[in-house]
Amino acid sequence: MPDNFFRKHSSDDIFADGNPDLPLEIDLGCGDGTFLIKMAQHYPERNFLGVERLLGRVRGVCKNIQHLGLTNAKVLRLESSYTLEWLLEKSSVSRLHLLCPDPWPKARHHRRRVVQQHFLQCLHELLTADGEFLFKTDHPGYHEWVCEEIETFKKFQPLPWEDHGEHSFFYPKTDFQQLWESQGKTIHQLRFGK
Ligand SMILES: C[S@@+](CC[C@H](N)C(=O)[O-])C[C@H]1O[C@@H](n2cnc3c(N)ncnc32)[C@H](O)[C@@H]1O
């Protein structure tokens, strides 16, 4: 829990009991932390911060992090938009993961989708020079929406990303991805660089 929500926080504040010099990755809306924890175990040379607003989920993730003794994983109970815009320092994040967020399928709710022009501006400022934005959804309409928002924004370039082959890398499935795939849904994934 930050001691003060009205100042910027760096890795020195967040990972004081670990190694604050490691590259920082954000899992926005980390849910039950399945992805966050597997990533932190696989990449001990990187730090991972989950952002999640539901207390029960945050408590569960904290418990698992503690149980496994991971010093490179933390979870913050806070609104994702506030975290990006006000809490974290600019040019401090190497990768931001937005995985299976609520697609808000009804047209009148589209403005509630996380990915909007203002979000992209905040994200662009937050990322390091070689920073990346990785996005997954089961919802074809949200996939198309993100492609269009990114095209309008203009400051991100598409990067290749495959599950197997030349452009693949370790990337565990989230809890929601597993659920959607068990129901026969297709997951769409996008990767962009600055
Ligand atoms: C559909 S779930 C996906 C969870 C996880 N990424 C996964 O794929 O399993 C979306 C998560 O984002 C969280 N969330 C939604 N809006 C949020 C917000 N504004 N700030 C922080 N967390 C949020 C929800 O509580 C939920 O845990």
Side-chain angles (χ1 to χ4, degrees), residues 29-31 52-54 57 78-80 99-100 174-176:
C30 67
E52 173 55 55
R53 68 177 170 194
L54 291 186
R57 291 184 183 171
L78 202 59
E79 275 292 313
S80 54
L99 305 172
C100 304
T174 67
D175 183 39
F176 271 75

Side-chain angles (χ1 to χ4, degrees), residues 103-106 110 113 135 137-144 186 188:
W104 294 106
K106 291 179 184 164
H110 285 178
R113 287 175 170 170
F135 174 85
T137 184
D138 67 300
H139 192 269
Y142 201 2
H143 171 249
E144 204 177 313
T186 301
H188 308 270

Side-chain angles (χ1 to χ4, degrees), residues 7 30 53 67 82 96 111 114-116 131 140 143 175 183:
R7 71 168 176 87
C30 67
R53 68 177 170 194
H67 177 71
Y82 187 88
L96 184 130
R111 63 195 164 82
V114 175
V115 180
Q116 308 280 348
H143 171 249
D175 183 39
Q183 294 175 4

Side-chain angles (χ1 to χ4, degrees), residues 11 15 21 28 32 91 108 111-112 117 120-121 125 131 137 160-161 168 171 176 186 189:
S11 281
F15 293 93
D21 296 331
L28 211 58
D32 76 346
S91 307
R108 69 175 188 279
R111 63 195 164 82
R112 297 186 191 171
Q117 292 302 301
L120 293 175
Q121 184 57 45
E125 290 172 9
T137 184
W161 185 12
S168 66
Y171 208 85
F176 271 75
T186 301
Q189 58 193 39

Side-chain angles (χ1 to χ4, degrees), residues 3-22:
D3 55 353
N4 180 347
F5 284 95
F6 300 102
R7 71 168 176 87
K8 294 278 184 189
H9 284 65
S10 67
S11 281
D12 286 332
D13 302 303
I14 304 166
F15 293 93
D17 64 342
N19 182 353
D21 296 331
L22 304 179

Side-chain angles (χ1 to χ4, degrees), residues 8-96:
K8 294 278 184 189
H9 284 65
S10 67
S11 281
D12 286 332
D13 302 303
I14 304 166
F15 293 93
D17 64 342
N19 182 353
D21 296 331
L22 304 179
L24 174 62
E25 304 203 9
I26 306 290
D27 181 6
L28 211 58
C30 67
D32 76 346
T34 299
F35 171 81
L36 183 84
I37 285 176
K38 285 186 182 163
M39 289 290 275
Q41 287 177 311
H42 188 84
Y43 295 112
E45 73 282 12
R46 303 183 194 177
N47 282 331
F48 294 87
L49 177 66
V51 181
E52 173 55 55
R53 68 177 170 194
L54 291 186
L55 182 59
R57 291 184 183 171
V58 170
R59 283 195 174 136
V61 186
C62 285
K63 210 169 131 189
N64 291 338
I65 290 172
Q66 224 170 358
H67 177 71
L68 294 164
L70 294 169
T71 56
N72 65 332
K74 304 278 177 198
V75 60
L76 178 66
R77 187 188 175 208
L78 202 59
E79 275 292 313
S80 54
S81 57
Y82 187 88
T83 306
L84 297 201
E85 191 168 1
W86 300 109
L87 200 87
L88 298 173
E89 287 190 330
K90 289 183 180 174
S91 307
S92 66
V93 174
S94 69
R95 293 204 296 180
L96 184 130

